[in-house]
Amino acid sequence: MTSAIATEFEPVIGLEVHAQLLTTSKIFCGCPTAFGAVPNDQTCPVCLGLPGSLPVLNRDAIEFGIRLILALGGRVNSPNIFARKNYFYPDLPKGYQISQYDRPLGEDGAVEFEFDGERRRVRLIRIHLEEDAGKSFHPETADQDPDTLVDLNRCGVPLLEIVSHPDIRDPREAAAYMQQLRRNVEYLGICTGNMEEGALRCDANVSVRPKGSSEFGTRTEVKNMNSFRSVERAIVCEIERQIGLLESGDEVIQQTLLWNESRQTVEPMRSKEESSDYRYFPEPDLLPIAVAPDWLNDVSEQTPELSLERAARFVREFGVPEYDASVLTDQKGIADLFEDVAREVSDAKLVSNWIMTEVLRVVTDRHPSVETLPVQPPALIQLLGMVRSARISGKIAKDVFEIMLQSGEAPEDIVAKKGLEQISDDNKLTELVDDVLNANPKEVTDYRGGNTKVLGFFMGKLMKASQGRGNPKRLNEILRERLGPPGGEQKPE
Ligand code: ADP
Ligand code: MG
Ligand code: ZN
């Protein structure tokens, strides 16, 4: 951030986040919601908005919303009411979006998260349900039809909109808030949290004010960020633009801006509409939704442990450092894997190191999620069990892991087939040491003359001679025994 932000102005940020719900069908019809289908294949008269069709509410959409509201300590409104939000857009065939307005599904509650080593709490205004609109494409290449294309598969996919109070003061904090929401919806099983696929979207409301001022400045709304990083960048960019305006005596105009990822700039989209422009009114085709207390109790009882609680428990139960616990709980699948493996392999730090390095590298680079990883808990338990009992070295284990990923074979089988077991037999190890010492008399003399650095040289030779299979701890001990004390016997008086 520029120094101007740090000194004279304070940013004020409030986020509106849309989470696409993981229901199998749409919110008001039976069409499937799967991502990436053939355009316009997943549509019916209801989601196409054909005259005479009527919406039928999907119970799961309500339940998923309730899960999040309760998990965040919010209040569920009974009844809550759907409303029509009227506007024209080519990807909105009905001419209105069914949303919620003055009786949303939920109100209040807060998102808690770690930021710069501190616990932060951003309060929520409301959480409501609405239907998604379609998608417009504007092909620009010469060989494509230059007209705009519309895909209506997304029409009627359920969205949960989570609106925060303007409690955020730093673009990095905004990204951290988004990350925590992503973990929460993933742990609750209501949304994939995938920003790149648009399953989690963020509109950032941004204003700046002189430091110490208690009034908010005029805000703008920035849309179209498709990663956590671009949320942060877009907000930084908008803060700088607003400060520039104020410093040169201009005013900030309330408007909606689009983040341009390739140019890394914000660009005006439209002047900000007021809610009165939408002519909201209660949706006449849907009844108010009463939520029975029993339903709330059931959902509440099933609320799973979320990431922050789980991280704290990992520290308590497994004794891993806080840093490890936060990395391990970032994705639910990884946290499950750690827990399954650490219960069986009685060295939680070994398991944690392995998951944080080897497993996460593979998940990040080659497999989109831990669920599709070909290495599941039983295989990892077997592999790390062999490391723990010194049957194979840590280094060999990495090679075995790679083979497991490629072939799906069990680690025991790979080790047996390839003869990778660690050599821990003292006779064999002593033989190896003697061979290496005999072959390198100059370094032996150096060591005995006081140069202990050659120990590393000998260990390198020994690991090479044993093809990485010599037990390094025993080799080191035997080596020192055979060499005698450094500089001991030969030092002339
Ligand atoms: P709308 O529906 O028009 O977008 P809302 O009242 O629902 O308006 O608020 C939208 C978001 O704007 C909320 O997240 C809120 O925290 C944020 N917000 C309101 N005022 C400001 C401000 N002055 N600066 C930054 N964010 C703000
Ligand atoms: Mg808004
Ligand atoms: Zn449909």
Side-chain angles (χ1 to χ4, degrees):
M1 259 190 290
T2 63
S3 57
I5 297 179
T7 53
E8 289 164 47
F9 289 96
E10 177 183 57
V12 171
I13 302 155
L15 300 183
E16 292 166 85
V17 176
H18 287 87
Q20 189 174 310
L21 296 180
L22 273 173
T23 53
T24 43
S25 56
K26 294 185 181 181
I27 184 166
F28 300 124
C29 63
C31 291
T33 53
F35 180 77
V38 175
N40 299 307
D41 227 27
Q42 299 178 340
T43 55
C44 74
V46 173
C47 54
L48 289 176
L50 300 189
S53 63
L54 288 172
V56 177
L57 181 61
N58 181 341
R59 189 180 190 274
D60 282 351
I62 300 276
E63 172 144 344
F64 285 12
I66 295 174
R67 274 193 211 164
L68 184 67
I69 293 162
L70 295 183
L72 299 180
R75 173 165 45 82
V76 172
N77 281 326
S78 183
N80 58 87
I81 295 172
F82 282 96
R84 280 194 189 177
K85 182 180 183 180
N86 299 282
Y87 64 96
F88 171 78
Y89 209 73
D91 60 17
L92 187 76
K94 286 204 297 281
Y96 59 85
Q97 177 193 29
I98 303 180
S99 180
Q100 296 192 303
Y101 187 53
D102 45 12
R103 282 292 284 188
L105 182 60
E107 287 177 84
D108 300 334
V111 177
E112 293 197 19
F113 55 103
E114 297 285 338
F115 177 62
D116 278 355
E118 276 174 39
R119 183 61 66 96
R120 294 281 335 206
R121 190 167 188 277
V122 169
R123 294 165 306 142
L124 300 179
I125 300 173
R126 63 175 196 271
I127 296 185
H128 72 249
L129 278 168
E130 61 188 28
E131 58 179 340
D132 207 347
K135 245 181 172 171
S136 302
F137 297 90
H138 312 281
E140 272 162 19
T141 48
D143 61 333
Q144 271 175 301
D145 196 321
D147 293 341
T148 292
L149 302 174
V150 182
D151 175 9
L152 298 178
N153 281 347
R154 218 177 56 180
C155 276
V157 167
L159 297 177
L160 203 57
E161 177 167 344
I162 303 128
V163 184
S164 85
H165 278 281
D167 285 353
I168 300 169
R169 296 288 176 270
D170 181 322
R172 285 171 41 245
E173 187 188 359
Y177 166 91
M178 280 295 288
Q179 290 273 16
Q180 187 61 46
L181 257 185
R182 192 213 86 226
R183 286 179 210 112
N184 291 345
V185 296
E186 196 209 322
Y187 272 66
L188 290 165
I190 63 171
C191 171
T192 62
N194 189 328
M195 279 199 86
E196 284 75 16
E197 287 181 1
L200 201 62
R201 290 169 237 162
C202 172
D203 301 342
N205 294 270
V206 179
S207 64
V208 298
R209 62 179 174 186
K211 273 231 161 120
S213 155
S214 61
E215 277 166 42
F216 290 147
T218 304
R219 74 177 147 122
T220 60
E221 185 169 336
V222 191
K223 294 177 176 288
N224 201 37
M225 293 82 87
N226 64 358
S227 67
F228 297 99
R229 201 134 139 261
S230 63
V231 170
E232 185 184 325
R233 292 237 184 98
I235 295 174
V236 169
C237 209
E238 178 53 11
I239 291 169
E240 287 173 351
R241 191 188 69 87
Q242 290 187 12
I243 290 175
L245 285 173
L246 297 182
E247 281 182 336
S248 58
D250 288 326
E251 280 185 353
V252 174
I253 300 164
Q254 187 165 344
Q255 61 181 334
T256 303
L257 302 146
L258 277 188
W259 170 243
N260 185 322
E261 180 72 39
S262 52
R263 294 168 61 182
Q264 301 275 300
T265 53
V266 292
E267 291 162 4
M269 177 177 154
R270 58 171 185 244
S271 66
K272 172 74 188 162
E273 61 292 310
E274 295 291 327
S275 63
S276 60
D277 294 333
Y278 290 120
R279 301 293 189 271
Y280 278 100
F281 62 85
E283 167 60 57
D285 292 337
L286 289 164
L287 290 166
I289 315 303
V291 181
D294 280 355
W295 194 7
L296 287 185
N297 286 337
D298 286 353
V299 176
S300 170
E301 274 167 21
Q302 289 163 26
T303 301
E305 181 186 47
L306 298 185
S307 67
L308 290 181
E309 292 170 77
R310 200 164 190 192
R313 185 168 60 78
F314 280 3
V315 172
R316 266 196 330 269
E317 240 175 66
F318 296 103
V320 293
E322 272 179 31
Y323 171 78
D324 293 36
S326 74
V327 174
L328 294 168
T329 51
D330 185 56
Q331 299 174 56
K332 180 170 180 294
I334 294 289
D336 291 344
L337 180 67
F338 169 77
E339 190 152 3
D340 287 348
V341 177
R343 283 198 191 293
E344 299 297 324
V345 180
S346 57
D347 182 345
K349 184 60 184 155
L350 170 74
V351 178
S352 166
N353 288 345
W354 253 80
I355 290 181
M356 291 201 303
T357 55
E358 303 311 307
V359 175
L360 273 180
R361 178 168 57 236
V362 173
V363 170
T364 313
D365 297 349
R366 290 186 253 165
H367 295 273
S369 81
V370 66
E371 284 77 17
T372 60
L373 196 70
V375 174
Q376 292 299 311
L380 202 56
I381 290 167
Q382 210 179 70
L383 180 71
L384 297 185
M386 284 192 281
V387 177
R388 176 98 182 102
S389 65
R391 270 185 60 200
I392 57 173
S393 69
K395 192 178 166 302
I396 293 276
K398 291 180 186 176
D399 300 339
V400 175
F401 183 66
E402 191 55 42
I403 301 171
M404 289 159 67
L405 287 173
Q406 311 275 339
S407 70
E409 271 174 290
E412 293 269 7
D413 296 344
I414 297 168
V415 169
K417 204 161 80 185
K418 303 216 170 220
L420 295 174
E421 227 161 291
Q422 182 152 283
I423 306 168
S424 293
D425 176 73
D426 272 3
N427 291 332
K428 274 197 196 134
L429 293 176
T430 308
E431 217 173 276
L432 277 169
V433 170
D434 287 345
D435 287 350
V436 165
L437 293 186
N438 288 336
N440 298 283
K442 183 184 164 297
E443 282 74 13
V444 174
T445 311
D446 286 354
Y447 181 85
R448 292 187 175 144
N451 179 5
T452 52
K453 281 188 195 141
V454 291
L455 273 179
F457 163 84
F458 285 129
M459 281 305 290
K461 291 273 177 207
L462 285 165
M463 289 321 283
K464 199 165 174 202
S466 67
Q467 289 158 316
R469 291 168 52 222
N471 180 328
K473 189 162 161 279
R474 271 311 283 154
L475 275 177
N476 197 290
E477 288 162 1
I478 295 169
L479 181 64
R480 285 168 188 271
E481 254 171 57
R482 301 303 263 192
L483 281 165
E489 45 190 47
Q490 293 197 350
K491 230 177 210 164
E493 290 302 311

